[in-house]
Amino acid sequence: MQKKVAVILSGCGVYDGSEIHEAVITLLRLDQRGAHAQCFAPNIPQFHVVDHLTGEVSGETRNVLTESARIARGEVKDVRQLHAAEFDALIIPGGFGAAKNLSDFAVAGAACCVQHDVLLAARAFVEAGKPIGMMCIAPALAAQIFGNQVTCTIGSDPDTAAAINQMGATHEDCLVGDIVEDQARKLVTTPAYMLAQSISEAAGGIYKLVDRIIEMTQHDD
């Protein structure tokens, strides 16, 4: 039976939304593995809009769901429509949108909160015992989604790792092409562009993450 995987996006663009390479590689690998992917995003204003040519914050206002539709080619739904019972697994790519739109980690650090609709959707997968994959900065949300002592990685950045540990998770250093798995909680994480210096480096770990998530869904059959 074809596996169904939900993918939560956070906009479009590394500095203010989903990291496009990470999102596209995730969707590509899911398709290569024969899984059906459905994208979701919160229907909220972006934290801010960044000009990706200059790196400067612009005066524009944009919507996270609308911007995520750029990556999903229009096939994206409001995260409030995400029901864990309809899917086998959940994957959350990174990009600063995970820390600005899916949460306020970029501003609040260890005192951050996960966006309400995203938190409810993700926790439903945890409660159902279904696997979740998170990459790049997205594992900063893990403690609030899974609770204390969940093991995850963002690579090796000491400040981010310290904040993750302060929130109650356990950070484990990881090379760019590897994954960290919390077997008890069915969480798989990889550094992606927290460490990657090229799209090929990012793809190595993301492929491993997606492959492992698919394997875990098969174990549940």
Side-chain angles (χ1 to χ4, degrees):
M1 181 179 295
Q2 185 182 39
K3 299 299 181 179
K4 296 178 65 177
V5 180
V7 178
I8 295 182
L9 301 176
S10 59
C12 181
V14 58
Y15 300 128
D16 58 12
S18 289
E19 210 298 318
I20 296 172
H21 291 175
E22 292 178 3
V24 172
I25 292 167
T26 296
L27 296 172
L28 171 63
R29 190 57 173 172
L30 287 169
D31 187 61
Q32 290 175 334
R33 291 299 307 267
H36 171 75
Q38 174 62 58
C39 293
F40 294 87
N43 187 9
I44 58 173
Q46 287 187 190
F47 173 74
H48 61 198
V49 178
V50 176
D51 182 330
H52 280 58
L53 183 61
T54 65
E56 299 295 325
V57 176
S58 74
E60 299 177 64
T61 57
R62 298 189 184 186
N63 177 277
V64 176
L65 180 60
T66 301
E67 290 301 295
S68 297
R70 294 176 179 272
I71 295 175
R73 295 174 58 87
E75 295 296 324
V76 62
K77 298 180 180 180
D78 189 322
V79 74
R80 288 176 292 184
Q81 297 177 271
L82 174 50
H83 305 293
E86 299 174 0
F87 292 89
D88 299 290
L90 169 66
I91 297 178
I92 307 178
F96 279 108
K100 294 177 178 179
N101 303 324
L102 303 188
S103 73
D104 60 355
F105 181 78
V107 175
C112 75
C113 294
V114 178
Q115 196 274 338
H116 178 70
D117 299 325
V118 172
L119 184 61
L120 288 179
R123 280 183 173 171
F125 280 84
V126 177
E127 292 166 2
K130 295 182 176 182
I132 297 179
M134 307 172 80
M135 62 193 69
C136 191
I137 193 62
L141 285 58
Q144 291 200 25
I145 293 171
F146 289 88
N148 290 340
Q149 304 307 312
V150 62
T151 300
C152 61
T153 191
I154 48 82
S156 57
D157 179 73
D159 290 339
T160 307
I164 287 174
N165 289 334
Q166 187 177 344
M167 285 188 281
T170 300
H171 181 269
E172 184 175 310
D173 284 354
C174 179
L175 298 176
V176 65
D178 288 336
I179 58 175
V180 168
E181 180 180 346
D182 186 322
Q183 294 183 349
R185 294 170 176 82
K186 296 186 178 179
L187 171 64
V188 184
T189 53
T190 191
Y193 273 104
M194 287 294 289
L195 290 178
Q197 298 299 308
S198 70
I199 190 170
S200 295
E201 283 192 351
I206 294 170
Y207 272 34
K208 286 183 181 179
L209 181 149
V210 172
D211 289 350
R212 182 59 186 140
I213 290 292
I214 295 298
E215 290 170 3
M216 293 166 76
T217 65
Q218 292 168 344
H219 291 163
D220 292 338
D221 289 342

